[in-house]
């Protein structure tokens, strides 16, 4: 498997009802910084999107936010220590996010998160890519979605690959291990932390 160096994270433009979602976004950010994994995301500064981007940047990690021009007013781009790419359309945004990422992971989110994840799943189903797809199933948030996928397979509206190709974990370290994210040596981690701007 190709080593994971650039991960696209889809997640909510809201923080959700429970604090565990934001805590998980921060824990994922920390683990990505430890493993030198770049964050590719939708560029917003609100909700879980803003939480993870802020935390990766604060930890000295690399963040690339890709946002369509019309969304800049709504989703208040996060600018601190990140690279921002402004696109003309949602389609262009999704294509760039795809091109820049080795794998795709969904944290809890709403229909925007689902749309983005579904598109990567359908592209894979159509043989357009073989990049890993993952759900971080914190607090059982994605259980109903998994149930729906099983239902689709049970009723033979899709083959079992749509389910088998999805890496589902509630544990962040296990999930990143399964996606091919190597842990950076301890010394490098300390150096990247030391180089990070103080909060
Ligand atoms: P949500 O999960 O609904 O909070 O949306 C998360 C993010 O997905 C939003 O902030 C948008 O940047 C993005 N998004 C929303 N709708 C779509 C869509 N139809 N296609 C692609 N991305 C979307």
């Amino acid at each position: 498997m190709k080593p994971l160096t650039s991960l696209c994270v889809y997640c909510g433009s809201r923080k959700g009802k429970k604090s565990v979602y934001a805590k998980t976004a921060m824990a994922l950010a920390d683990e990505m910084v430890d493993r030198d994994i770049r964050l590719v995301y939708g560029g917003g500064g609100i909700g879980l999107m803003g939480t993870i981007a802020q935390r990766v940047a604060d930890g000295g990690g690399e963040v690339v936010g890709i946002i369509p021009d019309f969304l800049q007013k709504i989703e208040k781009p996060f600018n601190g220590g990140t690279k921002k790419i402004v696109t003309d359309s949602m389609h262009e945004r999704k294509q760039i996010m795809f091109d820049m990422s080795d794998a795709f992971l969904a944290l809890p989110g709403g229909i925007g998160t689902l749309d983005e994840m579904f598109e990567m799943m359908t592209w894979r189903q159509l043989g357009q890519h073989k990049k890993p797809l993952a759900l971080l199933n914190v607090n059982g948030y994605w259980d109903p979605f998994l149930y729906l996928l099983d239902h689709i397979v049970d009723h033979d509206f899709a083959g079992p690959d749509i389910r088998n190709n999805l890496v589902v974990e509630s544990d962040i370290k296990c999930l990143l291990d399964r996606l091919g994210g190597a842990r950076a040596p301890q010394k490098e981690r300390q150096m990247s932390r030391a180089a990070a701007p103080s909060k």
Side-chain angles (χ1 to χ4, degrees):
M1 189 198 296
K2 188 180 179 296
L4 177 68
T5 58
S6 184
L7 177 64
C8 181
V9 177
Y10 301 128
C11 58
S13 55
R14 300 177 178 216
K15 289 198 173 175
K17 216 172 201 175
K18 298 187 174 164
S19 61
V20 67
Y21 301 130
K23 281 184 193 148
T24 303
M26 287 195 274
L28 174 63
D30 291 348
E31 198 60 32
M32 288 175 68
V33 171
D34 276 358
R35 297 180 190 223
D36 268 337
I37 299 170
R38 174 173 72 180
L39 170 69
V40 175
Y41 87 117
I46 55 175
L48 294 189
M49 298 168 83
T51 303
I52 189 167
Q54 178 81 59
R55 186 78 170 194
V56 172
D58 285 351
E62 191 181 349
V63 179
V64 183
I66 301 148
I67 191 160
D69 197 23
F70 81 91
L71 261 187
Q72 294 209 77
K73 283 191 207 84
I74 305 165
E75 298 201 337
K76 305 179 180 70
F78 170 74
N79 293 314
T82 63
K83 181 174 175 193
K84 185 170 80 170
I85 299 174
V86 180
T87 64
D88 290 334
S89 68
M90 294 292 268
H91 288 299
E92 188 189 358
R93 173 209 229 181
K94 282 175 165 177
Q95 185 66 49
I96 295 173
M97 288 170 87
F98 173 79
D99 292 340
M100 293 188 83
S101 308
D102 301 320
F104 309 92
L105 181 157
L107 278 169
I111 57 173
T113 304
L114 277 174
D115 174 275
E116 292 170 310
M117 198 62 191
F118 261 130
E119 186 152 39
M120 291 307 111
M121 290 171 70
T122 53
W123 288 6
R124 185 159 172 162
Q125 180 177 245
L126 297 173
Q128 298 298 292
H129 74 88
K130 284 199 168 193
K131 296 182 183 185
L133 304 162
L135 298 177
L136 189 51
N137 195 18
V138 47
N139 196 38
Y141 182 78
W142 289 119
D143 288 351
F145 178 60
L146 294 168
Y147 178 80
L148 175 62
L149 293 180
D150 288 336
H151 175 78
I152 290 169
V153 173
D154 278 353
H155 286 257
D156 201 26
F157 279 105
D161 279 357
I162 62 156
R163 188 64 181 77
N164 298 337
N165 287 337
L166 207 49
V167 178
V168 183
E169 291 285 349
S170 55
D171 183 88
I172 292 167
K173 288 186 199 308
C174 286
L175 187 54
L176 293 182
D177 287 348
R178 287 183 66 189
L179 296 179
R183 279 182 74 72
Q186 184 70 27
K187 202 170 153 202
E188 276 181 34
R189 292 208 300 275
Q190 281 162 355
M191 281 168 65
S192 82
R193 287 254 160 79
S198 53
K199 289 176 212 170

